[in-house]
Amino acid sequence: MLWIPPGLAHGFAVLSGSAHVLYKSTDFYDPEQERTIAWNDPQLNIDWQITEPPIISQKDCQGMPFHAAETFA
């Protein structure tokens, strides 16, 4: 289990072909409040440790570069 504070950018990769990923949130889902950062942004340089082309959701394919992401004070 992992707790992610509201507003914190986060992501994950499922490396198992048979995994089931479940998550809960602290509030109702509001797509108007959702933001997506490009999973493969070169500025973030995340080593996802994948060896085959990943399966990426349509939403994640439309992620913006990290430098253009909206910030909150």
Side-chain angles (χ1 to χ4, degrees):
M1 182 183 296
L2 180 66
W3 179 73
I4 301 168
L8 182 72
H10 58 281
F12 59 88
V14 177
L15 302 178
S16 166
S18 61
H20 293 269
V21 178
L22 305 172
Y23 59 91
K24 294 185 177 191
S25 63
T26 57
D27 208 340
F28 291 102
Y29 174 63
D30 182 1
E32 297 289 322
Q33 297 297 317
E34 187 171 65
R35 307 294 186 269
T36 305
I37 297 171
W39 69 275
N40 57 350
D41 187 293
Q43 183 180 0
L44 297 177
N45 195 29
I46 297 172
D47 179 4
W48 291 101
Q49 299 184 8
I50 53 178
T51 57
E52 298 179 22
I55 299 170
I56 307 296
S57 70
Q58 182 178 356
K59 176 191 73 156
D60 289 338
C61 286
Q62 298 173 9
M64 67 179 60
F66 180 69
H67 68 83
E70 184 177 4
T71 58
F72 303 91

